[in-house]
Amino acid sequence: MLSYYRVKEGKGMLKKIISVLLISASLFVLVPAVGYADFQNTISLYEKGNTTGIIYIKRPESHSASTSDRTYTISAVGNPGTRIKVYKYNPFTGNCGIIKNETKIGASSMYSVVVDLTSDSNIFVVTAENEKGSQAVRIDINKIKKSTVNKLKNVTVTIRDFIW
Amino acid sequence: MKRERLKSLLLVLLIVINFALTGRILTDKKLWPNGYNFFSNMGILNISKWYSGAIDYFKGEEKDKNQILMPEKIIINTGDQTTRLSLNSSDVEFEQMAIETGKILKSAFQNKKNEVNEITKDTLYQTLLADSLYLEYHREFDAKMFSELLGGSNNSMINTDFTFSGVILTYSPKTEVYIADLNNEKYYKITGMEASKEVERLSDECIKRKGQSQTNIINYSFELGFDKTFGTQKTILNPFIQVYSTAIQMPSIKAENPFYYETGELNTGMVNKTLEIFGISPDTIGRYTKEDGEMVFVENNATMKIDTNGYIEYDATNSGIKISDGKSIYSDILGVLKIINKVNSTAGRGNEMYLSGTDENRDIITFDYSVSGVKVKLEDKKLSSGVEVVVEDGYLKSYKQLVRNYAVTNHMTTPMEFFEALDNSILKYSEFMNEIRIEKMNLGYSDNGSVGEKNIDWIVNVDNVIVADE
């Protein structure tokens, strides 16, 4: 009788050990996966991802620009295999909706996307994901009048102006 | 007295009318059997044909001259990327625009009153982001050669030894020419030319006609920062490569060998006409056919071969055919173009050809086909250019051509998108390369020398690959 209980107790212990092992294994698999989880079709404007250095925005270099044009081309470089999506901020919902579906960066490491500028203030979020993690970059493109652009082109600012 | 004069006048008038009407009946109505008398031969002479032939000759000469430095494409920069346009020879305004811009360039390169100043890279780039034209050529030129090919004076006013494959031209408010010497990273501006209202008018016309239907956004590589590396980026694009936002749909072409009919029967008329172009009389020439079907024509001064694939080869065994005064590469090229255009018009469609290369000694000159402004990249086992000639002291020594008729089909094809094509083309280097420089990337038709349908594809010219250390 005693040995029967010991066997039963032993089986229960085994179950517990297996459960602990399974939970640990699933945590081991799932935790990083949560970190690399795909960005959904809607993301927050404040999304940053979990790392940096996955993607480098080449245009606009300062992540913001002004233009009188109807479209703007955002360009970037990243490691081959990096998955890129582009979102646009919607002030009515307060979120960013996807406007360009996933594209994988190829052997050239280059990526570019043309976005429409529908309002005076256009906010885009470019997301990038690969085995290193995820990154989201905010880009602001302001639409200004052509005459203002021409005026700005004629303004010459030299370093000397700042020194003196 | 007055009456007598009136009578005489009437008589003269009647005689003139008599000759005119009789002549018309004899020549037009062909009352006599052909070859029998003088009058029917007069009909064959057809003076109006002589006249139109003479006009065509001079027009052809002018066309040949324009053809030498015809750009591959002209980009009209409007200051906005959305309205930036790309034109090629399939656009109605292209030829006229190429002629008008050619006049400005001729003045820019040959008028000693103009000023040439070195400028910064950014200044040059800014001109492409404002109202301007970018003329992209099929090949690279040095300033001296470019000036020579513009015709006229052989002396380039630009003494600086630099090379370029594109020229920027501003036409409003000032006419200025900008050139980038990418090998030495030096940038120049030429000023002092007269303003051209015609270029401005043609540009405006194109923008009006094509601007509304433009859906593909064109960016220069430098705009997107792809002309310089960052981090792990190993690919560098020439700053003037145009990056297209979406795939471009274009028709395929069909390559035909004009020496054979569709039934497979030899077109002897085409063979004879081709021989005549090279001064060979088809009636008196000695000939034999090889086992593979290649026809060989032998005379004292030359041999001519025509194979079953439409490849022709003329080799002078003596001095050759006099095609120019031999004083300049310009006159040599002009002489060669006359022969090329004769062969191509004999072939049927008269496909366009562009100057694709000259060797260092300027003896070997190559031309390639283009169809509706899109180049054909030939990779035939006998020839890697549509035409390859050797000219020495104004004499044609050797002439090789894969004679083709390229017909545009109704079959529309969509090549890969820009980056997909770029990625695919450099994939083969990516394992061992440290850096790769892309010189040119344009759409074109690849032709392996066979007849049949050819689809549009991206042609990527790799300038340099730096291999990683072991």
Side-chain angles (χ1 to χ4, degrees):
Chain A
M1 192 67 179
L2 191 71
S3 62
Y4 168 77
Y5 281 113
R6 271 184 188 161
V7 170
K8 206 178 174 183
E9 202 177 302
K11 275 186 179 171
M13 195 63 183
L14 193 68
K15 273 183 186 170
K16 276 179 189 169
I17 291 166
I18 290 167
S19 304
V20 168
L21 280 172
L22 278 172
I23 290 164
S24 316
S26 54
L27 277 174
F28 183 76
V29 172
L30 287 174
V31 166
V34 169
Y36 302 144
D38 282 347
F39 288 108
Q40 300 303 306
N41 285 348
T42 308
I43 59 167
S44 159
L45 180 62
Y46 306 101
E47 177 67 61
K48 294 280 175 211
N50 58 16
T51 187
T52 55
I54 293 180
I55 191 171
Y56 174 73
I57 303 292
K58 287 218 155 191
R59 188 187 196 232
E61 217 171 342
S62 58
H63 299 186
S64 73
S66 297
T67 178
S68 60
D69 209 344
R70 299 197 307 269
T71 62
Y72 190 85
T73 306
I74 297 168
S75 69
V77 287
N79 277 341
T82 303
R83 302 183 304 278
I84 311 273
K85 285 178 189 171
V86 182
Y87 298 80
K88 188 172 185 187
Y89 175 66
N90 183 341
F92 298 108
T93 62
N95 282 322
C96 301
I98 193 160
I99 53 164
K100 299 282 173 188
N101 286 327
E102 189 177 286
T103 307
K104 244 184 203 174
I105 290 181
S108 68
S109 304
M110 293 171 181
Y111 173 81
S112 82
V113 62
V114 176
V115 289
D116 291 321
L117 306 177
T118 48
S119 55
D120 289 347
S121 173
N122 303 273
I123 304 170
F124 301 95
V125 176
V126 178
T127 65
E129 293 168 276
N130 63 17
E131 71 287 347
K132 287 179 187 167
S134 63
Q135 184 186 357
V137 184
R138 174 180 162 158
I139 290 165
D140 290 65
I141 313 289
N142 296 313
K143 237 176 126 178
I144 51 173
K145 284 180 183 170
K146 186 121 184 162
S147 54
T148 317
V149 176
N150 292 337
K151 273 180 200 166
L152 286 170
K153 277 181 185 170
N154 293 327
V155 174
T156 313
V157 180
T158 61
I159 296 169
R160 214 178 147 188
D161 294 336
F162 291 102
I163 296 168
W164 295 104
Chain B
M1 189 68 181
K2 269 187 183 176
R3 206 175 163 189
E4 287 299 311
R5 273 192 182 175
L6 205 66
K7 270 184 184 175
S8 304
L9 271 172
L10 195 68
L11 191 66
V12 169
L13 192 72
L14 284 171
I15 292 166
V16 169
I17 289 170
N18 169 54
F19 273 110
L21 291 175
T22 315
R24 200 176 162 200
I25 289 165
L26 289 171
T27 54
D28 288 5
K29 303 287 178 191
K30 293 185 173 58
L31 298 176
W32 319 90
N34 270 353
Y36 178 74
N37 72 49
F38 165 78
F39 294 108
S40 67
N41 287 336
M42 258 183 77
I44 293 164
L45 288 174
N46 206 338
I47 289 163
S48 65
K49 260 190 186 172
W50 287 8
Y51 175 74
S52 61
I55 295 287
D56 284 350
Y57 176 80
F58 290 111
K59 270 189 183 171
E61 176 105 332
E62 201 55 42
K63 209 176 173 190
D64 292 347
K65 282 179 185 173
N66 295 329
Q67 198 180 338
I68 293 180
L69 260 190
M70 195 61 83
E72 183 174 356
K73 56 182 150 181
I74 299 175
I75 309 280
I76 303 178
N77 300 302
T78 58
D80 288 338
Q81 65 174 36
T82 315
T83 48
R84 187 178 282 149
L85 291 174
S86 177
L87 304 184
N88 67 13
S89 66
S90 65
D91 290 288
V92 284
E93 301 89 353
F94 182 83
E95 192 176 343
Q96 196 54 35
M97 196 173 257
I99 292 168
E100 293 300 326
T101 51
K103 286 178 193 168
I104 296 173
L105 292 174
K106 194 170 173 178
S107 161
F109 276 79
Q110 295 177 356
N111 191 341
K112 286 192 163 50
K113 286 178 187 169
N114 295 334
E115 266 187 50
V116 186
N117 293 307
E118 205 173 322
I119 53 165
T120 63
K121 180 167 76 176
D122 286 341
T123 308
L124 183 126
Y125 285 175
Q126 280 307 315
T127 60
L128 290 168
L129 303 178
D131 289 330
S132 64
L133 301 177
Y134 177 64
L135 281 70
E136 186 173 295
Y137 293 93
H138 289 282
R139 49 159 298 191
E140 217 172 60
F141 295 100
D142 60 55
K144 192 176 179 298
M145 168 77 106
F146 189 79
S147 182
E148 275 184 55
L149 296 180
L150 285 164
S153 160
N154 285 348
N155 301 319
S156 166
M157 59 147 323
I158 300 159
N159 298 319
T160 329
D161 181 27
F162 61 82
T163 52
F164 55 90
S165 60
V167 172
I168 304 158
L169 204 144
T170 61
Y171 49 86
S172 179
K174 286 179 185 170
T175 301
E176 293 168 340
V177 171
Y178 294 78
I179 297 161
D181 177 12
L182 296 175
N183 294 342
N184 299 308
E185 292 218 3
K186 286 192 171 180
Y187 307 88
Y188 301 93
K189 177 166 88 169
I190 309 172
T191 52
M193 292 81 67
E194 278 182 27
S196 170
K197 287 281 168 201
E198 190 58 10
V199 171
E200 193 172 354
R201 185 190 68 77
L202 287 165
S203 302
D204 290 345
E205 236 171 58
C206 287
I207 294 164
K208 271 184 204 159
R209 186 179 64 82
K210 283 189 86 175
Q212 297 305 317
S213 58
Q214 175 82 353
T215 51
N216 215 321
I217 306 291
I218 304 166
N219 287 108
Y220 293 102
S221 144
F222 76 81
E223 271 185 284
L224 306 179
F226 293 147
D227 59 329
K228 49 194 177 223
T229 56
F230 179 84
T232 53
Q233 181 194 340
K234 293 175 179 175
T235 312
I236 302 172
L237 303 184
N238 175 310
F240 306 114
I241 285 180
Q242 296 102 49
V243 179
Y244 289 84
S245 64
T246 53
I248 303 159
Q249 203 183 41
M250 289 186 89
S252 64
I253 56 168
K254 191 182 169 196
E256 298 160 349
N257 174 3
F259 285 100
Y260 288 86
Y261 294 111
E262 277 187 22
T263 54
E265 194 190 337
L266 179 70
N267 182 346
T268 47
M270 173 75 196
V271 173
N272 292 345
K273 280 178 187 169
T274 306
L275 291 172
E276 281 165 4
I277 290 168
F278 291 90
I280 299 167
S281 168
D283 301 326
T284 54
I285 185 101
R287 65 176 81 188
Y288 63 90
T289 306
K290 285 184 178 177
E291 271 182 24
D292 60 4
E294 184 180 68
M295 292 173 279
V296 182
F297 304 88
V298 187
E299 66 160 22
N300 291 338
N301 298 321
T303 57
M304 181 93 184
K305 294 172 189 166
I306 301 175
D307 83 1
T308 52
N309 193 33
Y311 169 80
I312 63 169
E313 188 177 327
Y314 165 88
D315 284 299
T317 47
N318 227 321
S319 56
I321 302 168
K322 178 86 173 159
I323 58 162
S324 78
D325 57 12
K327 286 178 184 166
S328 70
I329 184 87
Y330 177 75
S331 56
D332 286 350
I333 290 170
L334 207 56
V336 174
L337 259 179
K338 275 182 194 162
I339 295 180
I340 290 173
N341 288 339
K342 273 184 194 169
V343 174
N344 286 347
S345 59
T346 304
R349 295 185 196 280
N351 288 127
E352 307 161 36
M353 287 205 119
Y354 64 89
L355 176 69
S356 54
T358 46
D359 75 330
E360 278 183 15
N361 298 329
R362 298 174 164 206
D363 292 338
I364 302 171
I365 304 165
T366 59
F367 285 82
D368 273 287
Y369 288 101
S370 74
V371 183
S372 300
V374 180
K375 63 168 79 177
V376 179
K377 193 186 178 204
L378 189 66
E379 281 170 349
D380 179 53
K381 56 189 176 207
K382 286 185 178 172
L383 211 54
S384 56
S385 280
V387 173
E388 187 185 299
V389 298
V390 178
V391 181
E392 282 173 25
D393 302 322
Y395 284 89
L396 183 74
K397 293 283 181 185
S398 158
Y399 184 101
K400 297 169 186 171
Q401 179 173 2
L402 185 73
V403 186
R404 282 289 178 267
N405 268 335
Y406 290 106
V408 178
T409 72
N410 295 325
H411 179 213
M412 296 300 283
T413 55
T414 310
M416 285 177 225
E417 288 198 12
F418 182 91
F419 285 113
E420 197 183 349
L422 177 67
D423 293 339
N424 283 352
S425 64
I426 63 175
L427 205 59
K428 58 184 171 189
Y429 305 105
S430 61
E431 269 182 33
F432 58 86
M433 73 179 187
N434 251 357
E435 189 180 290
I436 186 164
R437 286 177 183 268
I438 308 295
E439 190 194 350
K440 254 188 167 191
M441 188 162 162
N442 278 322
L443 285 167
Y445 294 103
S446 283
D447 186 354
N448 60 2
S450 64
V451 292
E453 197 172 337
K454 315 282 169 194
N455 287 337
I456 190 89
D457 204 356
W458 286 98
I459 296 174
V460 182
N461 292 8
V462 176
D463 179 39
N464 196 12
V465 180
I466 298 172
V467 181
D469 291 332
E470 289 284 320

